[in-house]
Amino acid sequence: MPYNLFNIYCDESCHLQNGRDNDFIMVIGGITCPNELKKQTSDRIRAIKAQYGVYRDTEIKWNKVSPSKLEYYKALVNFFFDYSCLSFRAIIINKRELILQSFNLTHDDFYYRAYFLMLSRIFTPGNEYAIYIDIKDTRSQSKVEKLHDVLCNSRFDFNRQMIHRVQQIRSHEVEIMGLTDLLIGALSYSNRGLNTNAAKLALIDLIRQRSGYSLTSNTWLLEPKFNLFFWHGRMH
């Protein structure tokens, strides 16, 4: 059955400008799901929660991955890879390579461009998209409005018929957003070289096995299920 309206559930990790050494990897990613299947997808995630004794309103978070819940989080990862209607794309940026002055950009300018680079490979002519972004800070609304403008202008979508919505949501209210957080968390952890949490390392190994990719380099450009783009000190 063909679908032409898709929801993209986006989240980001270490996106803020700061000087902490362990926050040098920035990840922006999104899971795409046909709008008609969003309820079915959420119901299946809740069924996994029930199977593993997790309260239905408990938020799926990378930071909550622990040995006691490892099998639960493995089930969520396997669900993503087994459920053909879901796809994921992320851009991974080493902020140590980010010299904004070289591009005459502010940090916010780069943020919008990074989001554009992540989303641009998802958009297909003839389809429509609603983009949902987790609320991060008090400036989120103005940033979301600006992002909508940037995305629509880049696609000559001045009437917003293709990208008709860019909206903030609270991640704990949308099950699919939790899967996005889980995947970008794994990418951030693996690319920062962290290795102190055995449960997280086991989950990363599972994602590597299921995706067929290392998680530390680009995937095939047209990879449909689990698509990664590593930015290295250049803008397109």
Side-chain angles (χ1 to χ4, degrees), residues 14 16 19 31 38 61 68 82 84 90 109-110 117 135 139 155 157-158 177 179 184 189 213 216-218:
C14 301
L16 298 177
I31 287 180
K38 65 180 181 181
K61 294 287 290 182
S68 64
D82 290 337
S84 60
D109 290 336
F110 182 81
L117 287 174
I135 295 175
R139 298 179 57 245
R155 285 291 183 265
D157 183 27
F158 303 119
M177 188 68 84
L179 289 183
I184 68 169
Y189 196 88
Y213 292 106
T216 54
S217 61
N218 290 337

Side-chain angles (χ1 to χ4, degrees), residues 12-31:
E12 54 218 39
S13 173
C14 301
H15 64 294
L16 298 177
Q17 191 173 21
N18 61 57
R20 291 184 293 178
D21 289 341
N22 65 344
D23 279 353
F24 65 93
I25 294 295
M26 170 180 174
V27 184
I28 297 177
I31 287 180

Side-chain angles (χ1 to χ4, degrees), residues 28-45:
I28 297 177
I31 287 180
T32 302
C33 175
N35 183 64
E36 293 180 40
L37 296 180
K38 65 180 181 181
K39 183 181 184 303
Q40 180 183 114
T41 303
S42 295
D43 288 345
R44 292 184 67 171
I45 293 172

Side-chain angles (χ1 to χ4, degrees), residues 99-180:
I99 304 174
L100 295 173
Q101 294 86 346
S102 299
F103 305 108
N104 195 28
L105 296 174
T106 66
H107 187 269
D108 280 352
D109 290 336
F110 182 81
Y111 171 87
Y112 299 129
R113 293 200 185 190
Y115 246 109
F116 166 75
L117 287 174
M118 188 276 286
L119 290 165
S120 60
R121 292 281 176 185
I122 298 175
F123 298 144
T124 301
N127 290 337
E128 300 176 17
Y129 299 90
I131 300 168
Y132 298 96
I133 298 176
D134 188 22
I135 295 175
K136 290 295 182 187
D137 53 52
T138 56
R139 298 179 57 245
S140 292
Q141 184 55 42
S142 62
K143 292 170 75 173
V144 163
E145 292 170 0
K146 174 68 173 178
L147 178 61
H148 198 177
D149 288 339
V150 169
L151 293 172
C152 287
N153 291 342
S154 71
R155 285 291 183 265
F156 304 101
D157 183 27
F158 303 119
N159 294 324
R160 299 190 173 185
Q161 294 180 338
M162 180 182 188
I163 308 166
H164 61 82
R165 178 181 303 151
V166 179
Q167 178 181 326
Q168 296 182 98
I169 58 173
R170 299 187 184 280
S171 60
H172 67 275
E173 297 172 351
V174 181
E175 300 288 3
I176 303 174
M177 188 68 84
L179 289 183
T180 305

